[in-house]
Amino acid sequence: MDNKINYQLQLDEIIRRLDGKKPRLLLHSCCAPCSSYCLEYLKDFFDITLFFYNPNISSEQEWEKRLNELKRLVKEMCLDIAIVCPPYDSQEFLDKVKGFENCPEGGDRCGICYALRLQKACDYAEENSYDYFCSTLSISPHKNAQKLNSIGEALANGKNVKHLPNDFKKKGGYLRSIQLSKEHNLYRQDFCGCIYSQRSE
C-alpha cells in the first residue's frame, strides 16, 4: 500500500488560499539549476528570500561557483530577490555525518545533510519573522521528497514559522528546470556536492 503524501497538492492548496497575499518565504537553495523552476513557480505567490547554506559542498571553489551561478540566475530572471549566504564551513557537514561516510547515496547520511540545512533555514526564518521556509532540494529525482518534508515539518513543530510543503519535481518541475538551465546556460554539477557523493559517481 502506497502511503506517500502528495506534498505538491498541499502546496497547491496553500497557494489557492492565499487570495492575493504574498507571505514571506525563506527558500533554501542548493544551486541555480534547482532554483530556476522553483523561483519561476513561486515568485508570483510569495515574497521570496533565497538562503544559500550548503556546507556539504566539497570545496570552497565549488561552493563559490554555485553561488555565483545563483546570483547570475536571479539577475537574468530580473527578480528583486535577496540571497542570504552564511559563510562556507564544510566542517559543519563533516562533523554531522561522522560515522556515516560509507552510507549509500539517499541513505542516512543524506537524511542528516537534509536536516542540517533545513535546521539552519528554519532557525533563520523564525529569527527573521518569515511565514514559511522550505528547500529547492525536492526538485531532484534523486532527493526523497517524503523525507525532506517530514524533516521540515518536524523542525517547524512548535516554532513561529511554518514549513511549506513541496515536491517541486511534480508538474514537470524537474524537466522545466533542465529547460531553464539550458536557456540561461547554467552550470549543472554532476554530483550533489559532498565528497562522498562525488566518490560514488
Side-chain angles (χ1 to χ4, degrees), residues 12-23 44-45:
D12 287 342
E13 180 61 18
I14 288 170
I15 289 173
R16 189 184 68 80
R17 293 181 178 182
L18 289 178
D19 196 28
K21 296 174 183 175
K22 291 185 79 169
D44 293 331
F45 307 110

Side-chain angles (χ1 to χ4, degrees), residues 105-127:
E105 280 299 286
D108 290 343
R109 186 185 65 245
C110 293
I112 293 168
C113 183
Y114 299 164
L116 173 64
R117 292 189 275 174
L118 283 168
Q119 177 73 70
K120 194 86 162 184
C122 179
D123 290 346
Y124 186 91
E126 183 177 43
E127 289 164 9

Side-chain angles (χ1 to χ4, degrees), residues 87-143:
Y88 176 71
D89 183 2
S90 61
Q91 198 59 47
E92 289 180 306
F93 167 75
L94 295 173
D95 289 345
K96 282 286 186 183
V97 300
K98 191 170 183 178
F100 294 88
E101 295 90 342
N102 295 316
C103 287
E105 280 299 286
D108 290 343
R109 186 185 65 245
C110 293
I112 293 168
C113 183
Y114 299 164
L116 173 64
R117 292 189 275 174
L118 283 168
Q119 177 73 70
K120 194 86 162 184
C122 179
D123 290 346
Y124 186 91
E126 183 177 43
E127 289 164 9
N128 292 277
S129 303
Y130 284 83
D131 299 294
Y132 293 98
F133 75 97
C134 71
S135 175
T136 61
L137 285 165
S138 72
I139 197 168
S140 169
H142 304 294
K143 299 292 186 287

